[in-house]
Every structure is written in structure tokens, then in C-alpha cells.
Amino acid sequence: MQTPSAIRRLVRDSWPPAMVLVFAALVISLIALIRSPEGVGSSLTREQFWLRKIEQPPEYDMVLGGDSRVLCDLSPAVMTGVNHLRTLNFGFNFTGYEPRYLSALAGKLDPASAKRSIVLGITPRSLTPLNMRVSGFLEEISRTESEQLSIRYLGGALSRVRPVVLGTVFGELSGRKSAKVFYPDGFMSVELVPPDPEFELKTYSSIFLGNRVSEQGIQDLLVHVAEWADAGIKVFGLRPPVAPKILAAENASSGFDEAAFATRFESAGGHWLRPDASGLVFADGSHIAAGFVPIFSARLARSIAATGALPDMSDSMTKVGPRQ
Amino acid sequence: MFCAGKPVTMLFNSLEFLLFIAIFSLGWPLARRAPASRWTFIIGCSLFFYGWWNWKYVLLLIATALVDFSAGLAIHTYRQHARKFLLGSIALNLGVLGYFKYWYAVASAINTAGGNLGVYVPGPVEQLILPVGISFYTFQSMSYTIDIYWRKLVPTRNVLHFLAAISFFPHLVAGPIMRAGKLLPQLLVGEQASPGAKAEGVRLIIHGYFKKVVIADNLSGVVGAAFSGAVSLHSGFEWWIIAVMFAMQIYCDFSGYSDIGRGIAKLCGYDFGVNFAHPYGAKSIREFWQRWHMSLSTWFRDYVYLPLGGSRGSEGKTRWNIVITMFLSAVWHGAGVTYMVWGLLHAGYMIVGRMASAASIRLVSWMQAPLTRLILWTQVLVAWVYFRATSVSQANSIVRSMFTMRSVAMGLSHTALIFLTIGIGYEVVMYFQDRMPQNRVIKGPEAACLAALAVACVYLRGPASAFIYFQF
């Protein structure tokens, strides 16, 4: 039996650890409440965006594949407006064309569609050994079931307690603002205010050191292109546009020969596209600024139509519209 | 049976663990009162924790534990055959450990050698998933039977008592390696933790999470990218910084896990003891090992180095014992050649240290402390490069770059540099703060600091990753 003084001592000694936790919980909750949600204007949180993309059913006429230059440069909504095809952006950050990704990409096509097509954004980085091993796509498919459950059901709350990115904070302190918006069709817009076409230059000046474009990677990709073409899938390829200095840095150090690649791509059964990239503004030099994405996406859709590879696209809005 | 799939158990830094610990905390006050309910509750929760991803591993854990429990009783009861029982138990433990941890490397080497000699060796060799924590609980189990054999410990006759000690989840998957002699007596009682112990528990948990999710996880990206890319991507100066980052990352990752485990144990009323005592504050390589992963280094000291003769024989014999002990310690981490080089480097440092000490090499007094620390840090950083590198040739290139310093260009992420600075500053503060007595009650200013650290754990956390030592 404890005496009243012993109980008082117990309470006195025990409250500080409990108060630490309660106080910390209050501060965490307060910050979560007053913070702007991630990706203002998005209907999805970042994690929900990725999860939704991975889990998309096979119901598309056209799938756009590639790394962040596809992810952030091509809007399916705009392209659908032009070509009336159900289109999914299946781009992921720093993703390489390795077999699992290519298989998942083709797996999003509607097997019953007569207009199955794949558009590949070919960047030197997407053909390097590093991106074949470490990629945003591989990270996403390795999520555990419990992670997926928490993203699905606690996504909003988790987004509120997302970590502060110090780089962004310092950028904002120096007057540079950045924003990302996540769209249900797989497109993610990026904005850097003011735009800085040399922001990514340092990365692209060094990323290919000891990590040049892999000939084996190209061969493996072209095998897939040939298989898809044989299966009746129309395959299009393009090199997404970048700021001139980034392009020069890539050409100088990546080992990527666009002209030679285009020839081999077409020999494998694909169609190489060179959509008009004039007048575009680049957010960070490597990605098109959000306001110019619709322009480029529409140009690309028209460029695809101009090849005549797909059946008449004017009446091709199939029974099921694009998921939103 | 044990191939492919995701090999990770429930992580301390995961939502499911927070839910698990909340449920454990509700049940513990009721379960702790009677031994049987206490041990059953610990076993049930711990096996659930361990089997979260793959229940098959639970069977392995129980099977090896039951063998050691039986071996302990047999050694104690049938003294005339004790040696046989002990050797049998050790052979089984090392056999299981070797099968999961080293079979792939050994078989691959045999296949390669056979191929080179034109001899057909049946294959293919499949890489097994290493059961999480097997290196830790195997050593724990082995110490139990060896201590009984040496008559340092009387075996428990209650299998629940033994299983509770082996499987207790705060130490199960990444240590500390709890000797049965230390944990079994504690588990006999289930008293409520004292206010001081509760305060220490909360303190350890918050500091542990801060070290793991704020410091280690924020450094892991830069370190991982550096070691997965070309060596020439970084200047010699940058490699020194990357080596320091890895030194901080592995320390904060591993000691953070230990602290969280110790903290949970404290809240349950048990004491695991210190596993890391600010190793980078050591003045010699010998002292470094007295402060780094103390539960493992003392295990090797007590069960390998001292039985080999320790430093009781000639200087040559002592050096040989050091080399064997450090080599086995390296192999405990894995079958990779990089680990072996890391272990042998430390053995070399210790031998050179002994030689310098024997030759009474002393520097001018004011230079002694800073210079010895500088030498120690250089030695440790170089060894960490081998530990982390993907191959010995990569490590050699990095070390060459570090010492030739052909370029001092600096282009590392500013964010990572900030977290490195935070980590070093934090460690310096904790070096002095940990001189204060343990189990002290939390007072006002410290409460505010702990709350701030807890908030930082949420809003400054790095990309979530598994604990490095889970792979061992």
C-alpha cells in the first residue's frame, strides 16, 4: 500500500516523461494543422499518386513511359484532347528501361484496344546502368503491404506530417519557390519560380561519369520494342526536350548518339518522333515548366497522328473514358 | 523455403511498430505480475514482432532456442558428457548460421573455382534470405550453453523463461547481444519500472529515434549514391567527407536502434546495459573497441580472445590472438572480402598500437591528445571505407583518392552537410551529457529539449530505411 506522499512523489517523478510526449504530440499536431497540404491543387498526396500509378488496371490505349522527363513533361489529359486515346503517364523519377519496368508499362495497355501504343521518352540517363538498378519505379513496387495500406487510408494525415525538405526551405528563403502538382492520370507538373534553366546543369555534368549509356541496355530495350511491334503495338520514341546547356552536357558525357539510336529504334519497328520544341520554357533545365506542358503535349499528340501509324484517331474515343 | 521475398521484420521506425508497441504497453502492466503470464506475453509479442513478414523464421528461432535450452540442461545434469553436449550445441548453432550466412558465398566460390579448373560442380547456387537477427540470437544462445559449461550460470528449468530471454523483441533482431546470465535473472521479476527508469526509457527512445531517422537516414542518400557510383565522381576531399558521413550514419543507425531497444526495456523495468559509449571519443583503437558495439566486442573477448590465451602468452601469440578475434568478428558481419579487410585492418591497428605502446613512443604532451585522436579517426575512417564499399577494388580506389587528394572540389549536397554538422554537434553534446548519472528524473529544460527532438523526428526525418545491422 503506497502512502499519499509516495504517490505524490510517483506523480511528481513520472509526469515529466509523459509531459514530454504529450507536449511533442501537441506541437506535431499543431504544425500538421497549419501546414499547407503537399502539392496544392492536387487531388492525391505524393504517395497516393505513385501507388495509384502502379495499380492502374490494363485499360489504356496509350501509355507514356520513361523517367522524370516523361513524368513532368507529358500531360495525358491534353494528349487525349487531341487524339482521343485513353492515355496514362507511366513515368517515374530516375527510372531506367529495365525488364520489370518495361513489362509493367506494356501491362497497362487494354488488350482489347485496337489502338494500343507505347510512347517512350528516351533520355541518356534512362539507359544508364545506375538507373537500371536504382529507380523510382523499383522503389515503388517494393513497398510492403502495410505501407500500401497506410498510404491508401492514412495518406492525407501522413502528408500533413511529411518531412520538411531543407533544400526547398533554403530555396524559398533565397526567393526561389518550387511547386509540384499530382494528377490522377499520372502526370506531375513542376514549377520553379523564377525558372532556372541551369538548375540541373551540375547534376548532368557529372551523372554520366562512370555511368555512361549502356549498349546492353539499348539492346534489351530494342528487343522489347521489336516484340511489341510484332504484337501489333505501335511504339513511338522521342528525346524529351531540355535546355540547351543540359543537352550539350548530356551529349558530351553520356555516350548517347541520338541519330544512331533513332535509326536502330526504327529498325526495331518503332517510330522516332521529333516534335517541335521551340519556345518552351524549362523549370530547372531538365523539365518543361508547368505552363508549357500543354503546348508540348499537344505538339507530341499531333506528331504521333502525323505518322499515320495509328488507325483513324478522330473517332477513336473508345467506350471507357480516361480515369480521372 | 527461405528463398526470395522481403526479408525485413517489423522496423522500429514503422507505423506498424508504433501500433504494436501501443498494444504491448496496454497488455504489459497486466501480464508482468506473474512469471508465467509475463514470459508468455513476452514470447507471444516477440514472436509476433519477429514473424511479421515471414512466420517461417519464427520456427527456426524456436527450434534453435529449444536445442540450446535442452543442451543447457544436459550440460548441467550430465557433467561427464558436458563437453559433447556443448560441442553439439555449438555445432548446430554455427551450422545454421553458416548455412544461411555463408553457404551462398562458399558455394559460389566453389562453383567459380570449379568452372575455372574445368571441373563440373553441380549448381545453381541459390542465395538464401538471411533470417533477421540470426547472428545476434545465435550468439546469445551460444553464450548460454558456454556459460553453463564453464559453471558461470545455472540453467533455467523453465522453457518459457529461456524463450522469453532469447526472443525479447527489444534486442532480438539487432542486439544488444544479451547474455543469458544478465537477462534471465532480470526476467524473474516483473516490478514496475522506477520513475528514474521510465525517464531514462523515454530519454533513450527519443534519442534513439533522433539518431536513426534524423541523422542516419538523412545521410544515407548521399553515402549510398557515392558508393553506388563511380569513384571518380568525387574528389579526394569529398571522399573524406563521405567517409565521415558513413561513420556518423552507421553509428547513429546502429546505436539509435540499441537505444530504442534499451529504452523499451527500461520502460518494462529491465536494463540491457550500454552498447555504445561514444566510440569516436576514444583515444586509442583499443578504447574504440571498448566503446563500439560493446555487447559484441565483449562477446568476442570472453568467448574467443580470452580462451585463445588473450595477452597472457608471448607478444607474438597475443598478436595472433588479436588477428583471429578481429577476423572472426569481421566474418560475423558477413562473408564479403570487404568485411575481412575491415577486420584485419583493425587487427593491424591494434598490433601497431601495442608496438607503439611497448616502444613508449610519446609525443610532446600538448600534441599527444589531438594527434592520437587524429590518427585514430583516420584509421577508423579508412576501415569504414572497406566496410561500406561494394568491393575491395572500389575501396582501394577511394582510399587512394583520399590520400592523393588530387582534387579538393566540393560539390556534396548542402542538406547532407547540414545533417552531418547536426550529427557531429549532437554527438559532442551527448558525449558530455552522458557523463551525468543514468535514470535521473527529467527536469524542465531537458524536457523541452526532448520534446524538440521528438518533433524533429517527425519533421526532419530522412527517407525511411531499414536499420543497417539488420543485414548481419
Side-chain angles (χ1 to χ4, degrees), chain B residues 238-279:
Chain B
E238 280 180 332
W239 275 115
W240 278 110
I241 304 288
I242 292 163
V244 175
M245 282 181 178
F246 178 63
M248 280 308 291
Q249 184 203 348
I250 194 167
Y251 168 66
C252 288
D253 188 286
F254 193 15
S255 71
Y257 184 93
S258 280
D259 286 350
I260 297 167
R262 287 175 60 210
I264 294 168
K266 280 272 182 191
L267 292 177
C268 295
Y270 304 123
D271 185 7
F272 281 0
V274 178
N275 202 23
F276 289 85
H278 307 287

Side-chain angles (χ1 to χ4, degrees), chain A residues 2 9-10 12-14 16-21 23-25 27-33 35 130 133-134 142-147 150 154 158 160-167 170 202 206-211, chain B residues 6 15-16 52-53 192-196 198-200 202 206 218 225 228-230 232-234 410-412 414-415 418-419 422 441-444 446-448 450-452 454-456 458-464:
Chain A
Q2 288 182 315
R9 196 167 57 245
L10 187 71
R12 189 195 66 208
D13 292 345
S14 295
M19 286 306 293
V20 165
L21 299 177
F23 182 64
V27 174
I28 290 165
S29 308
L30 192 65
I31 294 172
L33 284 174
R35 264 181 117 184
L130 187 59
R133 287 198 313 270
V134 184
S142 65
R143 283 193 187 280
T144 61
E145 272 180 42
S146 59
E147 279 178 314
S150 57
L154 301 173
L158 293 177
R160 289 272 176 182
V161 291
R162 69 190 182 277
V164 174
V165 181
L166 288 187
F170 294 138
K202 199 170 144 195
S206 60
I207 190 73
F208 300 108
L209 286 173
N211 181 44
Chain B
K6 297 196 78 178
L15 275 179
E16 55 262 40
W52 180 245
W53 292 113
Q192 192 183 17
S194 69
K198 282 182 186 165
E200 189 68 18
V202 169
I206 291 177
N218 275 303
S228 64
S232 57
L233 275 174
H234 298 285
M410 182 65 186
L412 292 173
H414 290 181
T415 305
I418 288 168
F419 281 107
I422 291 173
V441 172
I442 295 170
K443 296 270 170 59
E446 194 193 4
L450 286 172
V455 174
V458 173
Y459 289 113
L460 289 180
R461 69 187 190 275

Side-chain angles (χ1 to χ4, degrees), chain B residues 80 101 154 172 192 205 227 308 362 403 424 445-446 457:
Chain B
Q80 67 277 26
K101 202 158 181 171
V154 176
L172 178 59
Q192 192 183 17
I205 289 170
F227 280 93
L308 284 171
R362 310 260 339 145
F403 284 98
I424 293 172
E446 194 193 4
C457 288

Side-chain angles (χ1 to χ4, degrees), chain B residues 26 49 67 84 102 133 159 166 171 181 207 218 226 234 262 264 282 287 296 332 348 358 371 386 390-391 405 430 432:
Chain B
L26 289 175
F49 166 85
V67 167
K84 288 177 198 161
Y102 309 111
V159 71
I166 292 293
H171 70 72
H207 281 289
N218 275 303
H234 298 285
R262 287 175 60 210
I264 294 168
E287 193 187 340
L296 180 71
W332 177 88
L371 204 60
Y386 283 89
T390 51
S391 66
M405 288 277 269
M430 293 310 294
F432 292 104

Side-chain angles (χ1 to χ4, degrees), chain A residues 50 66-74 89 91-95 123 125 131 179-180 187-192 194-201 203-204 240-244 246-247 250 280-293 296:
Chain A
W50 296 119
D67 61 16
S68 63
R69 289 187 195 159
V70 166
L71 170 71
C72 306
D73 288 4
L74 300 180
N89 185 323
F92 288 84
N93 287 318
F94 47 89
T95 282
T123 66
R125 198 172 174 182
N131 276 38
K180 287 175 181 164
F187 166 58
M188 180 182 91
S189 71
V190 288
E191 199 67 272
L192 200 61
D196 180 1
E198 294 184 18
F199 187 79
E200 289 278 10
L201 185 58
T203 304
Y204 284 93
V242 288
I246 302 255
L247 183 69
E250 280 188 350
L280 298 177
V281 170
F282 297 94
D284 55 6
S286 183
H287 305 100
I288 299 173
F292 290 81
V293 167
F296 183 69

Side-chain angles (χ1 to χ4, degrees), chain A residues 2-320:
Chain A
Q2 288 182 315
T3 62
S5 64
I7 292 171
R8 272 199 301 277
R9 196 167 57 245
L10 187 71
V11 171
R12 189 195 66 208
D13 292 345
S14 295
W15 78 261
M19 286 306 293
V20 165
L21 299 177
V22 171
F23 182 64
L26 281 175
V27 174
I28 290 165
S29 308
L30 192 65
I31 294 172
L33 284 174
I34 59 174
R35 264 181 117 184
S36 311
E38 189 181 26
V40 177
S42 311
S43 57
L44 301 165
T45 67
R46 176 195 296 267
E47 269 84 12
Q48 285 171 338
F49 170 77
W50 296 119
L51 187 61
R52 182 189 162 89
K53 189 178 280 210
I54 292 286
E55 291 181 337
Q56 283 297 303
E59 60 177 30
Y60 290 93
D61 301 310
M62 176 177 279
V63 180
L64 316 173
D67 61 16
S68 63
R69 289 187 195 159
V70 166
L71 170 71
C72 306
D73 288 4
L74 300 180
S75 161
V78 173
M79 293 178 73
T80 300
V82 175
N83 60 22
H84 308 295
L85 296 176
R86 296 169 297 170
T87 306
L88 171 72
N89 185 323
F90 201 64
F92 288 84
N93 287 318
F94 47 89
T95 282
Y97 285 115
E98 51 82 41
R100 278 168 292 183
Y101 177 68
L102 292 168
S103 169
L105 178 73
K108 301 300 175 192
L109 289 172
D110 179 355
S113 169
K115 291 155 190 168
R116 289 182 300 158
S117 51
I118 289 174
V119 180
L120 300 176
I122 304 296
T123 66
R125 198 172 174 182
S126 65
L127 298 168
T128 58
L130 187 59
N131 276 38
M132 304 276 177
R133 287 198 313 270
V134 184
S135 83
F137 170 75
L138 295 176
E139 273 181 20
E140 291 303 325
I141 60 168
S142 65
R143 283 193 187 280
T144 61
E145 272 180 42
S146 59
E147 279 178 314
Q148 292 177 16
L149 278 175
S150 57
I151 290 169
R152 201 167 289 131
Y153 299 110
L154 301 173
L158 293 177
S159 173
R160 289 272 176 182
V161 291
R162 69 190 182 277
V164 174
V165 181
L166 288 187
T168 309
V169 174
F170 294 138
E172 288 186 2
L173 289 175
S174 64
R176 190 183 66 229
K177 290 193 173 178
S178 61
K180 287 175 181 164
V181 182
F182 307 101
Y183 294 88
D185 58 13
F187 166 58
M188 180 182 91
S189 71
V190 288
E191 199 67 272
L192 200 61
V193 182
D196 180 1
E198 294 184 18
F199 187 79
E200 289 278 10
L201 185 58
K202 199 170 144 195
T203 304
Y204 284 93
S205 302
S206 60
I207 190 73
F208 300 108
L209 286 173
N211 181 44
R212 285 162 70 86
V213 165
S214 152
E215 173 54 29
Q216 186 61 49
I218 290 177
Q219 284 178 23
D220 292 346
L221 172 62
L222 294 178
V223 166
H224 276 84
V225 171
E227 285 174 0
W228 290 334
D230 289 346
I233 299 171
K234 303 298 175 194
V235 189
F236 303 94
L238 76 151
R239 186 173 183 183
V242 288
K245 285 192 178 175
I246 302 255
L247 183 69
E250 280 188 350
N251 285 343
S253 57
S254 69
F256 181 62
D257 181 343
E258 184 181 340
F261 181 86
T263 306
R264 293 171 70 184
F265 189 82
E266 290 186 331
S267 300
H271 302 266
W272 190 254
L273 307 170
R274 291 183 179 81
D276 178 13
S278 59
L280 298 177
V281 170
F282 297 94
D284 55 6
S286 183
H287 305 100
I288 299 173
F292 290 81
V293 167
I295 298 171
F296 183 69
S297 300
R299 286 178 186 172
L300 176 64
R302 284 195 287 273
S303 171
I304 291 170
T307 62
L310 287 170
D312 180 18
M313 296 187 357
S314 57
D315 65 339
S316 60
M317 190 66 168
T318 31
K319 287 173 192 167
V320 186

Side-chain angles (χ1 to χ4, degrees), chain B residues 67-262:
Chain B
V67 167
D68 287 320
F69 172 75
S70 310
L73 283 177
I75 291 166
H76 183 72
T77 312
Y78 306 104
R79 273 287 159 193
Q80 67 277 26
H81 300 299
R83 192 177 172 81
K84 288 177 198 161
F85 288 123
L86 175 71
L87 290 176
S89 149
I90 289 176
L92 183 102
N93 278 301
L94 292 182
V96 171
L97 184 62
Y99 175 68
F100 280 104
K101 202 158 181 171
Y102 309 111
W103 168 243
Y104 177 72
V106 172
S108 300
I110 292 170
N111 271 359
T112 308
N116 291 341
L117 295 170
V119 180
Y120 171 71
V121 182
V125 184
E126 199 162 17
Q127 183 152 25
L128 301 164
I129 287 178
L130 185 67
V132 174
I134 189 170
S135 308
F136 292 91
Y137 69 70
T138 301
F139 270 41
Q140 205 162 286
S141 241
M142 279 166 60
S143 72
Y144 174 73
T145 48
I146 297 170
D147 282 353
I148 293 170
Y149 179 76
W150 284 344
R151 298 178 195 271
K152 287 182 178 174
L153 185 69
V154 176
T156 175
R157 294 189 176 275
N158 190 312
V159 71
L160 293 179
H161 186 199
F162 180 73
L163 271 177
I166 292 293
S167 68
F168 194 26
F169 70 88
H171 70 72
L172 178 59
V173 293
I177 298 170
M178 292 300 298
R179 307 274 183 93
K182 184 166 183 191
L183 191 54
L184 281 171
Q186 291 191 60
L187 289 179
L188 286 171
V189 291
E191 306 235 326
Q192 192 183 17
S194 69
K198 282 182 186 165
E200 189 68 18
V202 169
R203 185 181 287 122
L204 283 166
I205 289 170
I206 291 177
H207 281 289
Y209 273 113
F210 181 79
K211 284 197 265 187
K212 165 63 183 164
V213 303
V214 177
I215 301 173
D217 284 354
N218 275 303
L219 293 175
S220 69
V222 170
V223 172
F227 280 93
S228 64
V231 173
S232 57
L233 275 174
H234 298 285
S235 66
F237 181 66
E238 280 180 332
W239 275 115
W240 278 110
I241 304 288
I242 292 163
V244 175
M245 282 181 178
F246 178 63
M248 280 308 291
Q249 184 203 348
I250 194 167
Y251 168 66
C252 288
D253 188 286
F254 193 15
S255 71
Y257 184 93
S258 280
D259 286 350
I260 297 167
R262 287 175 60 210

